[in-house]
Every structure is written in C-alpha cells, then in structure tokens.
Amino acid sequence: MPAGVKKADLPSKTCVACQRPFVWRKKWERDWATVKYCSERCRRSRGNAR
C-alpha cells in the first residue's frame, strides 16, 4: 500500500503575480503560510503584476 498524500489532496493557493493556482511543495513545508508566489519568476516580476 503506497504511503503519502495524493496530489489532489494537497493544499493550494493563488499566485499574487500571475493569478494562477499552485499547490504545496515539499520545499515550502516550513513556511507554507508565507508563500505568495508560484515561482521565482513571479516573485521577481511582482512589481509588474497585471
């Protein structure tokens, strides 16, 4: 029996820059509450939001 959580059951947020949904990643485990951007590219372009 596989261990873990299904991808469909992971929490998701909407990116502040591109307005696209993104899901939880292992690297964001400790600071998921403060994550706002889906990628480094969106974080860098935060001043140019639509």
Side-chain angles (χ1 to χ4, degrees):
M1 185 139 139
V5 178
K6 294 180 183 178
K7 286 185 179 182
D9 296 335
L10 293 174
S12 65
K13 291 185 178 183
T14 302
C15 178
V16 175
C18 67
Q19 301 302 310
R20 292 182 180 168
F22 63 98
V23 294
W24 182 90
R25 293 183 186 171
K26 181 69 175 173
K27 68 179 185 177
W28 294 329
E29 185 173 24
R30 287 190 213 127
D31 59 344
W32 176 245
T34 61
V35 174
K36 296 179 185 178
Y37 306 100
C38 62
S39 65
E40 189 66 26
R41 180 179 179 182
C42 281
R43 189 186 64 77
R44 275 190 249 119
S45 68
R46 63 184 171 241
N48 302 333
R50 292 185 197 181

